[in-house]
Amino acid sequence: MDAKITLLPGDGIGPEVVDEARKVLTAVANQHNHTLHFTEKLMGGIAIDQTGNPLPEETLGACLENDAVLLGAVGGPKWSDPTAKVRPEQGLLKLRKSLGVFANIRPVKLFPALADASPLRPERVQDVDIVFVRELTGGIYFGQPQGRELVGGLRSGHDTMRYNEMEIKRVLRIAFELAQNRRGKVTSVDKANVLTSSRVWREVAHEVAAQYPDIAFEDVLVDAMAMYLVNRPGDFDVVVTGNMFGDILSDEASMISGSLGMLPSAALGDGGPGLYEPIHGSAPDIAGQGIANPLATILSAAMLLRSSLGLEDEAAQVETAVAQVLAAGHRTADLARPGEKAIGTTEMGDLVVAALG
Ligand code: NAD
């Protein structure tokens, strides 16, 4: 196979973790005689510094014409002035919208070797295997009107939470289709007791559920879901929800796996290039120190191999290599227990490459 991948290292630890994922992708491709062509482009704060635009046209063009995009992370204190006109996150939202990637798939699974890295008790997390499907291109992060103004002399801000039935249906369908190849259960999360947009979500969710009679379906309110993820996370299979609820709940669920540094994600649409990224941010507190955990990005690269390139065996090979490295006791600083030796970002990447065999 000949495939073209756009790399967007971004800011903070982004370049450090993307380097390791590239190394792993190259190694697994070489083993199977595939050729991967990488194009590296500017995105985020670094792109603002160099071009004034968080998503330069050249970057967007490369993303649209290649087979898949692997992103590190964007943002950091240098660009987070709330009154700034241009912010790194605007580039990310525009990229998702331009690629039409409306469903963010976030698996939350505990590697057995990390059971004691989770802040939850091992018996509570050992069976956790959840896939979050977060709607990614609608809801309150995109709804208009949006803005700030003086109201009665007081600084005020407003956002709009809006979903239409097409947006709800297509993301629900992805959830049901995933559940058909898993344990056959979908949980839809909303706030239908308060929000009108959630009542539309719930109504449409039930209509879609009726088309999948073989799948067990339930609605859960977002506040209750925040609690259930802590006290009975093993009960969930596929969890589907809107943009903001999914953003918050999937970060909460990430703690089950021990560290934000472990969780990959894929953003998929109707057949165009997929966008793959770790769920963590640019971690400015540890950037440049060579201690970031690259596994979330390496596991995102595995999702890229599977979902954009159709290379299931190669994807599974990467995931198995990660599991082996962890089972052998290797830990980056975010995973190491007090007194346990921590290895660096590059060393972890090298160990995964070596474990590919
Ligand atoms: P963060 O995810 O960057 O960091 C939260 C904590 O987790 C930090 O202590 C960090 O050191 C740690 N951490 C994160 N990833 C890690 C890794 N791979 N290895 C080891 N430790 C890791 O979240 P934040 O601090 O709230 O945000 C920092 C910046 O990142 C902000 O500018 C934010 O806007 C941005 N951000 C970007 C994205 C994205 O690019 N998709 C997502 C979230 C946040």
Side-chain angles (χ1 to χ4, degrees), residues 65-126:
E65 80 190 21
N66 288 347
D67 298 300
V69 183
L70 182 66
L71 170 77
V74 298
K78 184 175 175 193
W79 308 281
S80 53
D81 176 352
T83 60
K85 289 225 158 45
V86 188
R87 286 174 292 107
E89 292 74 16
Q90 292 166 336
L92 193 53
L93 296 186
K94 183 170 175 202
L95 179 62
R96 290 171 179 165
K97 197 84 174 171
S98 307
L99 291 173
V101 286
F102 59 81
N104 191 220
I105 318 290
R106 296 183 172 196
V108 177
K109 195 172 173 173
L110 185 76
F111 283 91
L114 293 184
D116 56 8
S118 172
L120 299 184
R121 287 201 301 272
E123 69 272 20
R124 201 160 269 188
V125 292
Q126 64 198 2

Side-chain angles (χ1 to χ4, degrees), residues 212-224:
Y212 296 86
D214 50 329
I215 304 291
F217 176 70
E218 64 178 352
D219 308 296
V220 175
L221 292 172
V222 63
D223 38 349

Side-chain angles (χ1 to χ4, degrees), residues 13 73-76 89 92 260-261 277 280-286 292-293 334:
I13 61 169
V74 298
E89 292 74 16
L92 193 53
L260 269 178
E277 53 177 317
H280 61 72
S282 59
D285 52 337
I286 58 166
N293 182 350
D334 54 312

